Amino acid sequence: MENYTIIIFILAIIIGLSAFADKAKIPFPILLVIVGVAIGFIPTMNEIEINPEIIFLIFLPPLLYDASFNISPIDFKTNIHTIGTLSISLVFLTAMGIAVVARFIIPGMTWPLSFVLGSILSATDAVAAISITKGLKLSHKTVTILEGESLINDASALVAYRFAVAAVMGSSFYLWKATLQFVLLLGGGFFVGFVMAKILAFILNRVHKNVNVTISFMLLMPFVTYMIAEKLHVSGVIAVVFLGLAIARFSNKILPEPLKNSSKGLWDLIIFLLNGLIFILIGLNFRYVLKDIHNDMILPYIGYAFIITFVALLIRMGRIFLQKINLQKAFQNSKGKRKVSENALLDFGNSIILSWSGMRGIVSLAIALGLPKVLKDGSPFPERNAIIFISVAAVLITIIGQGLSLPWLVRKINSLKKKKSIWRNKTSTNPSQDHLIKSLV
């Protein structure tokens, strides 16, 4: 009963802080995280234990479904190369990069343990980035890539995490086996999502005149799809994403506009509350993670978290700018048969914003807290408290540090683009000046 009271109290805080954040011009997620940390240190505050399975079941399906439902299939297809690069190859590259750094700077870290830490922090949380930059006039391309990345990268991170934990538990690692399992997880997820989308389309086609029944089915199906996929040991994340993409196209054809508006209003409220709970829970859990760490190790672990965050940022920035160059080359070398659309090209501003938007969030927190407590032989999981603390610290650093500076960065880049556009218009009206500039370049 006490936990339910605390949750109601937290929901009231979320609603109140939302109004305050608008007036104070502070990004809502950051304010929630900071308040969550503060509430967590109230002496009379009871610990709220986060069950990772509940996090994945309650939070992930609706958030993924909403993002995939609202993303444009055309824009998703246009930017699929960049989305695939960030959500698959960058995830594994980040996991390896963090593992190498952790292995050499953190005492007691073996290679398997280092890869566990790397896999926990390998996936970014676009929910944080989109929530923080809401209303800052991000380009449609940037939003599409961030949302598209978040739809797939959780699946990649979970695969890396499973194999890293299995290695710590004593299982042998085989690259071909990991690759095969990854393909089967994704392929199985697509299949389950396809089947469930067909079932939901069949139902909606017959009940769409009944508003309550239609909305109820659309609310329920993401959870059902996720559970079925996980029971079949395939990717529930991919299944829900495919369901959302398929139903978005279907709903545009048969659902009347009033029904869409009613459904959207309800979804917006649900997503608002879930996002609020996510960020305040991230802050709340810092105190409870902190109690398992020896006082002498708190500052060193926070230092390691800063270094790991910086390394992850450098890896992300390097991969995004390499992608920018590769897209430009592919576009220029296509010789009439352009495999890369001009709309898919990245400019400097897109690349910087995408790089700085690589914040970690609830998935990293959930899989960190889901680490096994004991090995197969009954001995404690080595360095478990250290891995959890460093992971939570890195999540807080990215959300608060990068989050506070991201709005400023977006405004700065938009301002530079505006000045550049004005300058181009001025030079284009003066042919001789334009010719001189071109000759100098």
Side-chain angles (χ1 to χ4, degrees), residues 196-227:
M196 297 305 290
K198 286 290 184 182
I199 293 172
L200 182 57
F202 176 82
I203 295 171
L204 293 182
N205 205 27
R206 282 152 181 79
V207 303
H208 66 269
K209 292 181 181 179
N210 189 320
V211 175
N212 291 333
V213 173
T214 301
I215 293 177
S216 297
F217 269 113
M218 293 181 71
L219 286 174
L220 186 63
M221 196 57 79
F223 299 100
V224 175
T225 301
Y226 185 87
M227 285 192 295

Side-chain angles (χ1 to χ4, degrees), residues 144-214:
T144 299
I145 293 172
L146 284 173
E147 289 185 343
E149 176 190 7
S150 72
L151 296 178
I152 305 171
N153 67 3
D154 292 338
S156 304
L158 288 170
V159 170
Y161 171 77
R162 287 175 185 174
F163 277 96
V165 171
V168 176
M169 301 291 281
S171 301
S172 300
F173 175 80
Y174 299 100
L175 182 60
W176 68 268
K177 188 177 180 181
T179 305
L180 178 61
Q181 183 171 345
F182 182 67
V183 172
L184 290 175
L185 281 170
L186 264 62
F190 278 119
F191 179 75
V192 171
F194 173 79
V195 172
M196 297 305 290
K198 286 290 184 182
I199 293 172
L200 182 57
F202 176 82
I203 295 171
L204 293 182
N205 205 27
R206 282 152 181 79
V207 303
H208 66 269
K209 292 181 181 179
N210 189 320
V211 175
N212 291 333
V213 173
T214 301

